[in-house]
Amino acid sequence: MTLEKKLINKTYYESFTVDREEPPIEVLGQLYIAEQRKNVPDLTSIRYAQGELYFHVHDYESAIFKWENISNELEPWAKKNLADAYMELGELSTAESIYKAVLTDSELLSTEISMQLFALYIEKGNHDMAHNTIKSLLATNPDYANMTLLAKTYFEEHEAWGDAIELAVNEGERTNSLKWYEALIQYAKIGVIAEYEPNYFRQSIRSVAELDQKLFEQLSVAFWENYRNSPFYLAWLWDYNQLFQQLQWEKEEEWTELPSMLEDSYLHLISSVYPIKEVRGLIPDILSNLLVTANNQDSIIAASAVLAWNDMFPSTIEAEFINSAEHLINTAEAVVDLADIMQLLQSITDWAENNDIIIDKKFSQRVVEQIPAESRQLLIIGSPGSGVNSCINELVGETLLSEGTNSLISIHDYDYLEMEELTEEGIRPIDTLNDFYEEQLSKDRHGEETRIFHLYTPSHLLHENNWAITTLPFPHQERYADYALLADSLLFVINERSLFQSSDYERLLEWKEKAPHLTVQFLIYADEAENEKVAAKRLQKATAAIDQYFPNSAVFLYSKENDRSVQLNDISSFYRRHFAERNIAEERTTKSIAIIQDLLSNLFDKRLEMEESLYTTLRMYEEIVSKLSGANNQLADMESEKTRIIVNAFEEIKESTTQEILEEIPKILRNCKNFIKEDSDFGKIHVELNDRMNSEIDQYVHNALLPKVYGKINEWIKLSQEQLEESQNFLNELCEGFNGLYEENQLTLSCDFSILDDWRRDARRLTGGIKLDKANILLRLKPSQVLLKSAGKLLGSIPQNKKMLYTRYQKYIETEDFTEVANNIADAFLQQFDFYEKGLAGDIHIFFSNPYDVLQKTMEEKTVDIQEYQDLLERLKNNPEMFHDPLRLFELRLLQYDWLTSPGKLSYSKHL
């Protein structure tokens, strides 16, 4: 063992105990005594060794005593040991200061001191210093002892993932040790890798690929999962797939997880999440790598994807991969699952719905139901008057259909009768046959809407042959034609008594041309007995026409007069042979691809329709806002006008009432002279007369004035009601005209007529609760009144003076101007009317408040819609790919299925 190793392990004392049998402490004691006896003793080394022994037996105080005075070349180590002892005693600060004070040129000692400081900082909880120390050690001496493993453990325990990743990357590259790449896999699994840009790991991936292919795959998959939902996902795909193509594999090993990661990434990139221009450069490498790594059946899927991409974007994939893919397509057996194709159709319809593009959603739902169905799809139709529905009832063995239906109806074998309608929203149950018949007759309610019904009923024929029968209107309702093409075979019913039109044949030929796999057979139906010669002649004419147009079609004869079971058995036997000779699964797959291709073609054509529709809607919304703004201005003008009329009418009541008071009160007061008699007590007459005048005023107000005012107010309320109703009628007409133009916005502007009830209640309060204060009419200090009152008091007791006073009071009352009194009474009487009048404008505004709110809210909503449509149109104009890209990617997936269904390469995962 080297000296430095002994110093590190504190076994320097072994240098003194070689070949000695005594205990080391005894040997050193003897050597100490012997050295001390010398003339010039040197006890330093022995003291150093004694300190080691004391340290090992945990006598740290003695060890410190021995190491404190070491002054030779061992001094730096002694100081380091001294700090170790203090650290063991828990005196961490003392230990730290001693460690830092050690001066040495020894790299090994410096490393040991740093290691001890690292441990000390951890114990003190000073993780910043601990972190800096271990980072410094890694930079200067990564090979020392278990330095890297110690650092790895520390970083992981303290979740310093950046340092842990950096350590693994550096050590993997430096040592080529697989354990560091395994560490990177673990870091990926806990989700911390994706914080780094992918090119940071480029060399690590390359290195592990050269060392171990299996570990390379594990590392690739772990990183892939980590980057999948990160902002660096596309960068990862770019870096990784380019790097993969540069790597060379010494031997071919089967890839287990990588192909599925490549395929998932490809499907994700073509799922319309990204614009095509953003991923177009990525996909060729992904598909090329998928073709290289795919195994067994997956290779044909990869080949079809390569060829589909090459069809849409020629020359973006290298020729060697194209050739390899073509070889696989031509030699391997493909697996096509109709469920995948149906999922593509569902994705397209969902996309169209989310983008407000109108398509026949019911047709799509019908395709998803009918194409993958295990039952044979038999379409039975006939011209009006052919008795086709009666014929279907005969075949099914149950009277379900009435003549003259205007819907598509499918009938399935089931344990009991059940009925439902397929709608845009889903399935709507129907309770009884009567309800079903009523639905068939409800054309007026549903207009030209395509309607689809499912009937489930026990049927021996359907069960035995595994049939599902469908019927639909023929031939004039063209909207049902596409539904007919979903059938496996068409059975056309001819009534022997009816003339068969050549136009029916032409229509059937058109259907046959659109759907080459659709076979057409004929059934001549006799629903009642007829003259044999006439029947035979009509039968001959019908069969001749059939032979002319459809020479290879079978012709069945069915008569209600003949044995039902025998006739049905003939039909069943034919179709069993007929379907057995055909590959129904292949036909349906080809048919579904053609349906989706037609749908995509129509959607591409809808691009301009969509933009024009957006412009139309935008213009409509702008017109709506303009009309609403105009309506709002009209409403404001109308409120102002109605307020003026109603308030002025109320003001007229006040003015007329004031005028009446000013006219009547003086008359009433002058008439009070009649209450003055010659024998009156003229000393008190002014008080008595004042009371009498107030009494007369009070009687006038309550018995004459208030009823008259109450009547006027009621007339005013009636006028107000007429004015407000006139406003409501105007608003109703405005709404009617508006809603007639814009059916999507049903505007309602309802005013608040409750204010009229409030006014009626207030009118009763105004005219029922007025109480006037007693007026001071003859008790004021006017000179004429003072003279009269004084004369009355002085002369009233003298009889001969009463006539004179009587005459003077009469003359005073006849000539007195009571205008001021009348004004005071008018002011007091109308005071509450003034308060009432001040609230009228506010009440009328409340009456119109709801229309204001509705108009304002509608304008705000439509303004938001306008902005959204403007933004959408701007995006469509600047980014036409936002519409075209999803359709092109749908078409890409369809192209892949098209390659998989190339002639002679089909083997279906679900045999029908």
Side-chain angles (χ1 to χ4, degrees), residues 428-440:
R428 183 180 69 86
I430 299 174
D431 295 330
T432 67
L433 267 176
N434 285 335
D435 293 339
F436 171 69
Y437 294 145
E438 288 182 6
E439 291 290 345
Q440 298 302 299

Side-chain angles (χ1 to χ4, degrees), residues 386-397:
S386 64
V388 60
N389 286 355
S390 296
C391 180
I392 292 173
N393 290 336
E394 284 286 316
L395 296 178
V396 174

Side-chain angles (χ1 to χ4, degrees), residues 588-656:
R588 290 188 184 179
T589 302
T590 304
K591 188 186 303 182
S592 62
I593 291 175
I595 289 170
I596 296 175
Q597 183 60 63
D598 287 344
L599 175 59
L600 289 175
S601 298
N602 291 334
L603 288 174
F604 273 112
D605 294 338
K606 287 183 180 290
R607 167 65 174 84
L608 293 177
E609 293 179 19
M610 178 183 178
E611 189 167 345
E612 181 58 33
S613 175
L614 287 174
Y615 275 117
T616 301
T617 304
L618 178 60
R619 287 193 293 269
M620 181 183 73
Y621 284 173
E622 289 174 340
E623 186 176 349
I624 287 174
V625 171
S626 176
K627 287 183 178 297
L628 290 174
S629 178
N632 194 68
N633 293 334
Q634 286 179 293
L635 181 62
D637 293 340
M638 184 164 56
E639 179 188 349
S640 178
E641 175 65 14
K642 298 306 178 184
T643 301
R644 183 186 64 79
I645 293 173
I646 292 171
V647 171
N648 286 349
F650 191 81
E651 183 68 31
E652 288 176 4
I653 294 175
K654 287 175 53 183
E655 291 176 356
S656 64

Side-chain angles (χ1 to χ4, degrees), residues 466-743:
N466 192 25
W467 288 354
I469 290 178
T470 300
T471 188
L472 51 81
F474 179 87
H476 304 296
Q477 297 193 34
E478 184 62 30
R479 66 182 185 276
Y480 286 103
D482 287 340
Y483 292 85
L485 306 182
L486 300 178
D488 297 322
S489 185
L490 187 154
L491 181 62
F492 194 86
V493 176
I494 303 171
N495 192 294
E496 66 172 0
R497 294 182 292 104
S498 303
L499 292 176
F500 190 62
Q501 302 294 327
S502 59
S503 60
D504 293 341
Y505 286 109
E506 298 294 340
R507 180 60 55 84
L508 290 176
L509 286 172
E510 290 175 7
W511 287 9
K512 188 73 175 71
E513 185 177 350
K514 287 185 68 175
H517 297 300
L518 179 65
T519 61
V520 181
Q521 320 302 335
F522 293 85
L523 185 148
I524 300 176
Y525 178 56
D527 54 0
E528 60 184 35
E530 195 175 14
N531 182 282
E532 290 186 9
K533 290 185 178 180
V534 175
K537 188 174 181 179
R538 286 176 175 167
L539 179 62
Q540 182 181 7
K541 184 177 180 181
T543 54
I546 292 170
D547 288 340
Q548 178 183 350
Y549 288 94
F550 296 92
N552 298 320
S553 294
V555 180
F556 306 104
L557 303 177
Y558 188 93
S559 173
K560 293 179 70 173
E561 302 298 322
N562 297 332
D563 188 293
R564 176 176 179 273
S565 61
V566 172
Q567 296 179 94
L568 294 182
N569 185 62
D570 291 341
I571 297 172
S572 299
S573 298
F574 169 81
Y575 272 111
R576 278 195 290 270
R577 294 191 304 273
H578 178 71
F579 287 131
E581 293 169 357
R582 295 164 57 187
N583 189 333
I584 299 297
E586 179 178 345
E587 293 174 9
R588 290 188 184 179
T589 302
T590 304
K591 188 186 303 182
S592 62
I593 291 175
I595 289 170
I596 296 175
Q597 183 60 63
D598 287 344
L599 175 59
L600 289 175
S601 298
N602 291 334
L603 288 174
F604 273 112
D605 294 338
K606 287 183 180 290
R607 167 65 174 84
L608 293 177
E609 293 179 19
M610 178 183 178
E611 189 167 345
E612 181 58 33
S613 175
L614 287 174
Y615 275 117
T616 301
T617 304
L618 178 60
R619 287 193 293 269
M620 181 183 73
Y621 284 173
E622 289 174 340
E623 186 176 349
I624 287 174
V625 171
S626 176
K627 287 183 178 297
L628 290 174
S629 178
N632 194 68
N633 293 334
Q634 286 179 293
L635 181 62
D637 293 340
M638 184 164 56
E639 179 188 349
S640 178
E641 175 65 14
K642 298 306 178 184
T643 301
R644 183 186 64 79
I645 293 173
I646 292 171
V647 171
N648 286 349
F650 191 81
E651 183 68 31
E652 288 176 4
I653 294 175
K654 287 175 53 183
E655 291 176 356
S656 64
T657 302
T658 301
Q659 186 63 35
E660 181 174 344
I661 291 173
L662 294 179
E663 290 177 358
E664 293 299 322
I665 292 298
K667 293 180 182 178
I668 292 169
L669 295 178
R670 291 190 184 99
N671 287 336
C672 287
K673 69 179 183 177
N674 297 326
F675 296 106
I676 304 173
K677 306 297 180 181
E678 288 186 8
D679 59 350
S680 297
D681 184 356
F682 290 99
K684 299 179 180 179
I685 189 65
H686 60 283
V687 176
E688 294 174 352
L689 190 57
N690 191 79
D691 291 340
R692 189 68 186 190
M693 287 179 169
N694 275 285
S695 176
E696 291 295 313
I697 290 172
D698 192 64
Q699 289 184 37
Y700 162 71
V701 168
H702 287 91
N703 297 334
L705 183 61
L706 284 177
K708 187 181 296 184
V709 172
Y710 182 73
K712 289 180 179 180
I713 290 178
N714 281 330
E715 288 296 321
W716 170 79
I717 291 175
K718 183 177 180 181
L719 168 70
S720 300
Q721 182 172 354
E722 291 172 355
Q723 293 294 319
L724 296 179
E725 286 177 347
E726 184 179 298
S727 300
Q728 182 65 73
N729 292 335
F730 172 80
L731 292 175
N732 291 342
E733 291 175 4
L734 188 150
C735 290
E736 185 177 348
F738 185 89
N739 294 335
L741 289 174
Y742 313 108
E743 294 181 359

